[in-house]
Amino acid sequence: MTRRMSPETRTVTVLVGVVVTMGALAWAAVPFYDWFCRVTGFGGTTQVAESAPDQVLDEVVRVRFDANVDKDMEWTFRPMQTSMELKIGEPGLAFYEAVNNSDVAITGTASYNVAPEVSGYYFDKIECFCFTEQTLQPGERIEMPVSFFVDPDLVKDRDAGWVRDITLSYTFHRTQPKQAALDAAPAGNVN
């Protein structure tokens, strides 16, 4: 003899199932979105490559450089060049400067994108300071390189083939909460 669930028990079971499913989907959304952006270049997400291609086209693209810091980041961060012209497929090397203006060590990571967004699939980074966390000691100044190229397949793309100006933009975010940095600072060395 099987026992039937009451309507209240069935409703609670369905609602718990919905909550668990929604929680699982919310948990998976961020890594899935990140993967989707990396694969497709959606939202101006750039690609990562081992090396520049063998093919260099006789067409020039201008890359502009932009830098920003999150409001809680006590750094000065700027590109060391405002723009660079290079042939499509040719490797480029640009530098950014960061200065820690505080009296405590600060660790940060850079988020990045390119504009127009449609060029993200064709903008490849070989090496970049944005691949790892950066820690600057109080008053420290560093120059950080980014090695990149624009994939020659850009010119064949029906939607992106017109792009000849690309803006590479970085925003540095503090990865260690400000209070944790203050707690870790030696006595007498507080903002």
Side-chain angles (χ1 to χ4, degrees), residues 137-150:
Q137 298 304 315
E140 183 179 6
R141 175 196 169 275
I142 60 170
E143 293 179 10
M144 301 174 292
V146 56
S147 174
F148 63 93
F149 65 91
V150 177

Side-chain angles (χ1 to χ4, degrees), residues 46-47 63 114 119-125 148-150 166 168:
T46 63
Q47 306 300 303
V63 179
V114 294
S119 64
Y121 187 74
Y122 300 101
F123 195 95
D124 291 77
K125 293 181 189 172
F148 63 93
F149 65 91
V150 177
I166 298 173
L168 175 61

